[in-house]
Amino acid sequence: AMLHVNHKLRGGAAEVRDAFAARAGEPGGIRGEVAFVIDGPSPEEGAAEAAQAAEGAQARAAELAAEGLRTKDAARALAEEFGIGRNEAYEMAMAARAR
């Protein structure tokens, strides 16, 4: 007789890893087929990540301005570090320099 057990586990990558590590140490461990369904962030999570990235980029722009980096070079660094568009990066660099 075959027994089908369906366990659902939700969480981030680290949480799922830890849960599997804990189950692997249990009697019987992890056996059989395992399927993963991976989803992107919710709209709220995406907006929160974007806001956090913008804050980080603005803080970095201020650091680069304080170091005396030219606006053009600061914008290039911001675009590379944070994956933002060059125009947005240039605007951030200009705003940081004006402060």
Side-chain angles (χ1 to χ4, degrees):
M2 189 164 83
L3 176 63
H4 179 80
V5 179
N6 184 5
H7 292 281
K8 290 184 181 178
L9 178 63
R10 295 177 187 259
E15 295 166 318
V16 172
R17 178 200 62 219
D18 294 345
F20 267 90
R23 286 185 184 171
E26 294 175 359
I30 299 171
R31 297 186 346 214
E33 183 177 287
V34 176
F36 290 94
V37 177
I38 301 172
D39 190 11
S42 69
E44 295 81 17
E45 291 169 329
E49 287 178 18
Q52 189 175 18
E55 278 183 33
Q58 289 170 350
R60 182 71 175 132
E63 289 174 3
L64 295 172
E67 291 174 10
L69 208 60
R70 294 184 329 163
T71 304
K72 179 180 172 182
D73 296 330
R76 182 178 296 123
L78 291 171
E80 288 176 11
E81 283 183 46
F82 293 93
I84 58 177
R86 286 161 49 132
N87 289 340
E88 183 181 1
Y90 192 81
E91 289 174 16
M92 283 185 183
M94 289 285 291
R97 195 164 188 87
R99 289 185 204 139

Short mmCIF file of all heavy atoms in Angstrom, two decimals, residues 53-96:
data_model
loop_
_atom_site.label_atom_id
_atom_site.label_comp_id
_atom_site.label_asym_id
_atom_site.label_seq_id
_atom_site.Cartn_x
_atom_site.Cartn_y
_atom_site.Cartn_z
N ALA A 53 15.16 50.03 -1.58
CA ALA A 53 16.26 50.22 -2.53
C ALA A 53 16.47 51.70 -2.82
O ALA A 53 17.61 52.17 -2.90
CB ALA A 53 15.98 49.46 -3.83
N ALA A 54 15.37 52.45 -2.94
CA ALA A 54 15.48 53.90 -3.19
C ALA A 54 16.15 54.60 -2.02
O ALA A 54 17.01 55.46 -2.21
CB ALA A 54 14.11 54.50 -3.46
N GLU A 55 15.78 54.20 -0.81
CA GLU A 55 16.43 54.78 0.39
C GLU A 55 17.91 54.48 0.39
O GLU A 55 18.74 55.35 0.69
CB GLU A 55 15.80 54.21 1.66
CG GLU A 55 14.53 54.87 2.09
CD GLU A 55 14.02 54.30 3.41
OE1 GLU A 55 14.84 53.91 4.27
OE2 GLU A 55 12.79 54.25 3.56
N GLY A 56 18.26 53.24 0.08
CA GLY A 56 19.67 52.85 0.03
C GLY A 56 20.44 53.62 -1.03
O GLY A 56 21.57 54.06 -0.79
N ALA A 57 19.82 53.80 -2.18
CA ALA A 57 20.47 54.53 -3.27
C ALA A 57 20.66 56.00 -2.89
O ALA A 57 21.70 56.60 -3.17
CB ALA A 57 19.66 54.40 -4.56
N GLN A 58 19.66 56.59 -2.24
CA GLN A 58 19.77 57.99 -1.82
C GLN A 58 20.87 58.16 -0.77
O GLN A 58 21.64 59.13 -0.82
CB GLN A 58 18.43 58.50 -1.30
CG GLN A 58 17.41 58.67 -2.41
CD GLN A 58 16.01 58.93 -1.89
OE1 GLN A 58 15.74 58.82 -0.71
NE2 GLN A 58 15.10 59.27 -2.81
N ALA A 59 20.95 57.22 0.16
CA ALA A 59 22.01 57.28 1.18
C ALA A 59 23.38 57.14 0.52
O ALA A 59 24.32 57.86 0.87
CB ALA A 59 21.80 56.19 2.22
N ARG A 60 23.47 56.23 -0.44
CA ARG A 60 24.75 56.03 -1.14
C ARG A 60 25.11 57.27 -1.96
O ARG A 60 26.28 57.65 -2.03
CB ARG A 60 24.67 54.79 -2.04
CG ARG A 60 25.94 54.47 -2.77
CD ARG A 60 27.01 53.96 -1.82
NE ARG A 60 28.17 53.58 -2.61
CZ ARG A 60 29.41 53.94 -2.32
NH1 ARG A 60 29.68 54.65 -1.23
NH2 ARG A 60 30.40 53.56 -3.09
N ALA A 61 24.09 57.92 -2.56
CA ALA A 61 24.33 59.14 -3.32
C ALA A 61 24.92 60.22 -2.42
O ALA A 61 25.85 60.93 -2.81
CB ALA A 61 23.04 59.63 -3.96
N ALA A 62 24.40 60.31 -1.20
CA ALA A 62 24.93 61.30 -0.24
C ALA A 62 26.38 60.97 0.12
O ALA A 62 27.22 61.88 0.22
CB ALA A 62 24.06 61.32 1.01
N GLU A 63 26.68 59.68 0.29
CA GLU A 63 28.06 59.27 0.60
C GLU A 63 29.00 59.65 -0.53
O GLU A 63 30.09 60.17 -0.30
CB GLU A 63 28.13 57.76 0.82
CG GLU A 63 27.48 57.27 2.10
CD GLU A 63 27.45 55.74 2.17
OE1 GLU A 63 27.98 55.06 1.26
OE2 GLU A 63 26.90 55.23 3.16
N LEU A 64 28.57 59.36 -1.77
CA LEU A 64 29.42 59.64 -2.92
C LEU A 64 29.63 61.15 -3.09
O LEU A 64 30.73 61.58 -3.43
CB LEU A 64 28.81 59.03 -4.19
CG LEU A 64 28.74 57.51 -4.22
CD1 LEU A 64 27.95 57.02 -5.42
CD2 LEU A 64 30.12 56.88 -4.19
N ALA A 65 28.58 61.93 -2.82
CA ALA A 65 28.71 63.39 -2.90
C ALA A 65 29.68 63.89 -1.84
O ALA A 65 30.52 64.76 -2.10
CB ALA A 65 27.35 64.05 -2.74
N ALA A 66 29.60 63.31 -0.64
CA ALA A 66 30.50 63.71 0.46
C ALA A 66 31.95 63.36 0.13
O ALA A 66 32.87 64.05 0.57
CB ALA A 66 30.06 63.05 1.76
N GLU A 67 32.13 62.30 -0.64
CA GLU A 67 33.49 61.90 -1.04
C GLU A 67 34.03 62.79 -2.16
O GLU A 67 35.19 62.67 -2.53
CB GLU A 67 33.48 60.44 -1.52
CG GLU A 67 33.23 59.43 -0.41
CD GLU A 67 33.07 58.01 -0.94
OE1 GLU A 67 33.35 57.77 -2.15
OE2 GLU A 67 32.66 57.14 -0.16
N GLY A 68 33.17 63.65 -2.72
CA GLY A 68 33.60 64.56 -3.76
C GLY A 68 33.56 63.97 -5.16
O GLY A 68 34.13 64.55 -6.09
N LEU A 69 32.87 62.85 -5.33
CA LEU A 69 32.77 62.23 -6.65
C LEU A 69 31.94 63.12 -7.57
O LEU A 69 30.95 63.71 -7.14
CB LEU A 69 32.10 60.86 -6.51
CG LEU A 69 32.45 59.80 -7.52
CD1 LEU A 69 33.94 59.49 -7.48
CD2 LEU A 69 31.67 58.53 -7.25
N ARG A 70 32.35 63.24 -8.81
CA ARG A 70 31.60 64.04 -9.78
C ARG A 70 30.20 63.45 -9.95
O ARG A 70 30.02 62.24 -9.83
CB ARG A 70 32.30 64.07 -11.13
CG ARG A 70 33.63 64.79 -11.11
CD ARG A 70 34.27 64.88 -12.47
NE ARG A 70 33.94 63.74 -13.35
CZ ARG A 70 34.11 63.75 -14.65
NH1 ARG A 70 34.61 64.80 -15.25
NH2 ARG A 70 33.80 62.70 -15.36
N THR A 71 29.24 64.29 -10.26
CA THR A 71 27.84 63.86 -10.41
C THR A 71 27.71 62.73 -11.42
O THR A 71 27.03 61.74 -11.17
CB THR A 71 26.96 65.05 -10.81
OG1 THR A 71 27.12 66.09 -9.85
CG2 THR A 71 25.50 64.65 -10.88
N LYS A 72 28.38 62.88 -12.54
CA LYS A 72 28.32 61.86 -13.60
C LYS A 72 28.85 60.51 -13.10
O LYS A 72 28.25 59.47 -13.34
CB LYS A 72 29.14 62.34 -14.80
CG LYS A 72 29.20 61.39 -15.96
CD LYS A 72 30.04 61.98 -17.08
CE LYS A 72 30.27 60.98 -18.17
NZ LYS A 72 31.12 61.51 -19.23
N ASP A 73 29.97 60.53 -12.38
CA ASP A 73 30.55 59.29 -11.86
C ASP A 73 29.70 58.69 -10.75
O ASP A 73 29.55 57.48 -10.65
CB ASP A 73 31.97 59.55 -11.36
CG ASP A 73 32.90 59.98 -12.49
OD1 ASP A 73 32.68 59.55 -13.64
OD2 ASP A 73 33.85 60.74 -12.22
N ALA A 74 29.12 59.56 -9.91
CA ALA A 74 28.24 59.08 -8.84
C ALA A 74 27.00 58.42 -9.45
O ALA A 74 26.57 57.36 -8.99
CB ALA A 74 27.84 60.22 -7.92
N ALA A 75 26.45 59.04 -10.49
CA ALA A 75 25.27 58.47 -11.15
C ALA A 75 25.58 57.11 -11.75
O ALA A 75 24.79 56.17 -11.63
CB ALA A 75 24.77 59.43 -12.24
N ARG A 76 26.74 56.98 -12.37
CA ARG A 76 27.15 55.69 -12.95
C ARG A 76 27.26 54.63 -11.85
O ARG A 76 26.78 53.50 -12.01
CB ARG A 76 28.47 55.83 -13.70
CG ARG A 76 28.90 54.53 -14.38
CD ARG A 76 30.20 54.67 -15.16
NE ARG A 76 30.03 55.60 -16.27
CZ ARG A 76 30.78 56.70 -16.44
NH1 ARG A 76 31.75 57.00 -15.60
NH2 ARG A 76 30.57 57.49 -17.47
N ALA A 77 27.88 55.00 -10.73
CA ALA A 77 28.04 54.06 -9.62
C ALA A 77 26.68 53.65 -9.06
O ALA A 77 26.45 52.47 -8.77
CB ALA A 77 28.90 54.68 -8.52
N LEU A 78 25.77 54.60 -8.90
CA LEU A 78 24.44 54.29 -8.38
C LEU A 78 23.69 53.36 -9.31
O LEU A 78 23.05 52.40 -8.86
CB LEU A 78 23.63 55.58 -8.18
CG LEU A 78 24.09 56.49 -7.06
CD1 LEU A 78 23.36 57.83 -7.12
CD2 LEU A 78 23.90 55.84 -5.70
N ALA A 79 23.75 53.63 -10.61
CA ALA A 79 23.07 52.79 -11.59
C ALA A 79 23.60 51.36 -11.53
O ALA A 79 22.82 50.40 -11.58
CB ALA A 79 23.23 53.37 -12.99
N GLU A 80 24.91 51.21 -11.41
CA GLU A 80 25.50 49.87 -11.36
C GLU A 80 25.18 49.16 -10.06
O GLU A 80 24.84 47.98 -10.05
CB GLU A 80 27.01 49.96 -11.56
CG GLU A 80 27.43 50.31 -12.97
CD GLU A 80 28.94 50.49 -13.11
OE1 GLU A 80 29.69 50.14 -12.17
OE2 GLU A 80 29.37 50.98 -14.17
N GLU A 81 25.32 49.87 -8.93
CA GLU A 81 25.11 49.24 -7.61
C GLU A 81 23.66 48.86 -7.36
O GLU A 81 23.39 47.83 -6.75
CB GLU A 81 25.56 50.18 -6.50
CG GLU A 81 27.05 50.25 -6.30
CD GLU A 81 27.42 51.15 -5.13
OE1 GLU A 81 26.82 51.05 -4.06
OE2 GLU A 81 28.34 52.00 -5.31
N PHE A 82 22.73 49.71 -7.80
CA PHE A 82 21.33 49.51 -7.43
C PHE A 82 20.44 49.09 -8.59
O PHE A 82 19.25 48.88 -8.41
CB PHE A 82 20.78 50.78 -6.76
CG PHE A 82 21.43 51.05 -5.44
CD1 PHE A 82 22.54 51.88 -5.35
CD2 PHE A 82 20.96 50.47 -4.28
CE1 PHE A 82 23.16 52.13 -4.15
CE2 PHE A 82 21.57 50.70 -3.07
CZ PHE A 82 22.67 51.53 -3.00
N GLY A 83 21.02 48.99 -9.79
CA GLY A 83 20.24 48.55 -10.94
C GLY A 83 19.13 49.51 -11.32
O GLY A 83 18.08 49.09 -11.79
N ILE A 84 19.35 50.78 -11.10
CA ILE A 84 18.35 51.78 -11.46
C ILE A 84 18.74 52.45 -12.76
O ILE A 84 19.89 52.36 -13.20
CB ILE A 84 18.17 52.84 -10.33
CG1 ILE A 84 19.50 53.55 -10.02
CG2 ILE A 84 17.60 52.21 -9.09
CD1 ILE A 84 19.38 54.64 -8.98
N GLY A 85 17.80 53.11 -13.40
CA GLY A 85 18.06 53.78 -14.66
C GLY A 85 19.04 54.93 -14.49
O GLY A 85 19.16 55.52 -13.41
N ARG A 86 19.74 55.23 -15.58
CA ARG A 86 20.77 56.27 -15.50
C ARG A 86 20.18 57.64 -15.20
O ARG A 86 20.78 58.43 -14.47
CB ARG A 86 21.58 56.29 -16.79
CG ARG A 86 22.50 55.09 -16.84
CD ARG A 86 23.03 54.71 -18.18
NE ARG A 86 23.61 55.69 -19.05
CZ ARG A 86 24.77 55.55 -19.66
NH1 ARG A 86 25.48 54.46 -19.45
NH2 ARG A 86 25.20 56.45 -20.48
N ASN A 87 19.00 57.94 -15.75
CA ASN A 87 18.38 59.23 -15.48
C ASN A 87 18.01 59.36 -14.00
O ASN A 87 18.24 60.40 -13.38
CB ASN A 87 17.14 59.44 -16.35
CG ASN A 87 17.49 59.68 -17.80
OD1 ASN A 87 18.61 60.05 -18.12
ND2 ASN A 87 16.53 59.46 -18.69
N GLU A 88 17.41 58.31 -13.45
CA GLU A 88 17.05 58.33 -12.03
C GLU A 88 18.30 58.45 -11.15
O GLU A 88 18.32 59.20 -10.18
CB GLU A 88 16.27 57.05 -11.66
CG GLU A 88 15.80 57.02 -10.24
CD GLU A 88 15.05 55.74 -9.88
OE1 GLU A 88 14.89 54.85 -10.74
OE2 GLU A 88 14.62 55.64 -8.72
N ALA A 89 19.34 57.73 -11.52
CA ALA A 89 20.60 57.78 -10.77
C ALA A 89 21.20 59.18 -10.84
O ALA A 89 21.70 59.71 -9.82
CB ALA A 89 21.58 56.75 -11.31
N TYR A 90 21.13 59.81 -12.01
CA TYR A 90 21.68 61.16 -12.16
C TYR A 90 20.89 62.16 -11.32
O TYR A 90 21.48 63.02 -10.66
CB TYR A 90 21.67 61.57 -13.64
CG TYR A 90 22.49 62.82 -13.90
CD1 TYR A 90 23.87 62.74 -14.04
CD2 TYR A 90 21.89 64.06 -13.98
CE1 TYR A 90 24.63 63.88 -14.27
CE2 TYR A 90 22.64 65.21 -14.20
CZ TYR A 90 24.01 65.11 -14.35
OH TYR A 90 24.76 66.23 -14.56
N GLU A 91 19.56 62.02 -11.30
CA GLU A 91 18.72 62.89 -10.49
C GLU A 91 19.06 62.76 -9.00
O GLU A 91 19.13 63.74 -8.27
CB GLU A 91 17.26 62.63 -10.73
CG GLU A 91 16.77 63.09 -12.09
CD GLU A 91 15.34 62.70 -12.38
OE1 GLU A 91 14.60 62.33 -11.45
OE2 GLU A 91 14.95 62.77 -13.56
N MET A 92 19.27 61.51 -8.56
CA MET A 92 19.65 61.28 -7.15
C MET A 92 21.00 61.90 -6.84
O MET A 92 21.18 62.50 -5.79
CB MET A 92 19.69 59.78 -6.85
CG MET A 92 18.38 59.14 -6.66
SD MET A 92 18.61 57.42 -6.17
CE MET A 92 16.92 56.89 -6.11
N ALA A 93 21.93 61.74 -7.76
CA ALA A 93 23.28 62.30 -7.55
C ALA A 93 23.22 63.83 -7.50
O ALA A 93 23.89 64.46 -6.66
CB ALA A 93 24.22 61.83 -8.65
N MET A 94 22.39 64.43 -8.37
CA MET A 94 22.24 65.89 -8.38
C MET A 94 21.60 66.38 -7.07
O MET A 94 22.06 67.36 -6.48
CB MET A 94 21.36 66.33 -9.57
CG MET A 94 22.03 66.19 -10.91
SD MET A 94 23.28 67.45 -11.20
CE MET A 94 22.26 68.90 -11.35
N ALA A 95 20.58 65.68 -6.61
CA ALA A 95 19.89 66.06 -5.37
C ALA A 95 20.84 65.93 -4.18
O ALA A 95 20.84 66.80 -3.29
CB ALA A 95 18.65 65.19 -5.16
N ALA A 96 21.65 64.89 -4.16
CA ALA A 96 22.59 64.69 -3.04
C ALA A 96 23.65 65.78 -3.05
O ALA A 96 24.08 66.25 -1.99
CB ALA A 96 23.25 63.31 -3.15
#
